[in-house]
Amino acid sequence: MKDLKGKVALITGGTKGIGYGVAEALLNQGLKVVITSRNKQSAEDVAKELAIKTNTSDAVIGVEADVRQLQSQEAAVKQAIDKFGKLDLVLANAGLGHFGSIEDITVEQWNDVIDTNLTGVFNSIKASVDELKKSKGYYITISSLAGTNFFAGGSAYNASKFGVTGFTQAVMLDLRQHGIKVSTIMPGSVSTHFNGNEPSEKGAWKIQIEDIGELVVDLLKMNPRTLPSKIEVRPTTPPSK
């Protein structure tokens, strides 16, 4: 996929944070991009914003889709095909977090995290695998360093991200003989609105969303014979504890 111009990407949770940063980077490389959100108006508004920002008319659309529902993801894939004729990349990015001791976290919070962060990745890949077989495309999932490093209060989030890491690696082995590449990116602290954070100059030490966008572009441009299947990235110089 070294020649990226005209390739088509579907990004779940693409209206903000890492998904937004990757969408912008891909548009600047000449890709066509479909971003999804549970909120239709938000998806459409951000798609228009990205088109203006990257000076790419008719190269990006926003669609309503809920990764927790397989049929919703299948509908998003269909809209991508109907609009752009093919699908080359799926970035399974949509995610959320609820944190607290196992004594305090609720069943509803547990289900929300697992259904979105883990089952959502399954649904995103399951809904699009036939199309990526045709294009010999690329799956990239967004896990986390929390997918290998557990912490107190992180039972639901750790479970979801440990799951994403393991699931993605197994899928990589399932699909490699079809010419499909599969990678998972495991970021540390990223400057986003995740978990109520407000990006600011105080977070300049963190990974920025454009850094993840650059990383995705680098993965896509890598020689097809080589696959970085699991990539850990972290801030170079975090604050001293």
Side-chain angles (χ1 to χ4, degrees):
M1 205 181 288
K2 295 174 79 172
D3 183 10
L4 302 185
K5 191 171 183 180
K7 300 293 186 182
V8 180
L10 172 66
I11 300 176
T12 67
T15 59
K16 56 186 177 181
I18 289 173
Y20 183 98
V22 174
E24 183 176 356
L26 296 183
L27 287 165
N28 283 329
Q29 291 290 322
L31 279 83
K32 312 291 187 182
V33 175
V34 179
I35 59 171
T36 76
S37 170
R38 294 181 192 176
N39 184 288
K40 184 174 186 290
Q41 191 63 55
S42 176
E44 293 176 349
D45 288 347
V46 173
K48 291 176 184 176
E49 175 187 315
L50 282 166
I52 294 170
K53 193 173 182 180
T54 59
N55 194 28
T56 51
S57 60
D58 203 36
V60 54
I61 61 170
V63 303
E64 179 182 6
D66 186 341
V67 297
R68 297 172 298 179
Q69 304 296 329
L70 178 59
Q71 287 184 331
S72 184
Q73 283 305 102
E74 290 172 338
V77 170
K78 184 177 185 303
Q79 288 181 74
I81 300 302
D82 289 346
K83 175 65 177 179
F84 296 122
K86 60 176 182 171
L87 187 59
D88 301 286
L89 166 67
V90 173
L91 182 82
N93 163 75
L96 52 80
H98 294 298
F99 301 92
S101 168
I102 188 60
E103 299 171 284
D104 302 318
I105 196 164
T106 67
V107 171
E108 291 76 19
Q109 288 173 323
W110 169 269
N111 289 337
D112 198 21
V113 173
I114 298 300
D115 290 349
T116 302
N117 296 5
L118 181 53
T119 304
V121 173
F122 169 83
N123 288 337
S124 298
I125 292 179
K126 190 71 172 176
S128 57
V129 69
D130 288 342
E131 293 300 332
L132 262 68
K133 281 184 180 179
K134 295 176 187 176
S135 64
K136 297 188 182 299
Y138 207 141
Y139 284 115
I140 298 176
T141 68
I142 301 298
S143 184
S144 169
L145 290 183
T148 192
N149 302 303
F150 51 85
F151 55 90
S155 59
Y157 192 71
N158 282 143
S160 72
K161 291 303 186 179
F162 269 70
V164 169
T165 301
F167 171 77
T168 306
Q169 297 295 283
V171 169
M172 178 266 294
L173 298 177
D174 287 342
L175 298 181
R176 64 198 308 186
Q177 297 305 323
H178 294 289
I180 298 174
K181 298 179 79 171
V182 183
S183 300
T184 189
I185 299 174
M186 305 171 67
S189 298
V190 183
S191 183
T192 70
H193 290 90
F194 183 79
N195 199 32
N197 179 65
E198 188 64 33
S200 68
E201 285 301 315
K202 291 182 179 179
W205 61 271
K206 296 180 179 180
I207 299 166
Q208 303 298 306
I209 59 174
E210 59 265 28
D211 302 336
I212 304 298
E214 182 179 354
L215 174 56
V216 170
V217 170
D218 288 344
L219 286 173
L220 296 179
K221 288 185 174 182
M222 185 164 286
N223 194 296
R225 66 173 172 256
T226 301
L227 175 64
S229 58
K230 183 170 66 173
I231 305 100
E232 293 188 6
V233 289
R234 48 178 50 80
T236 301
T237 311
S240 299
K241 292 183 178 180

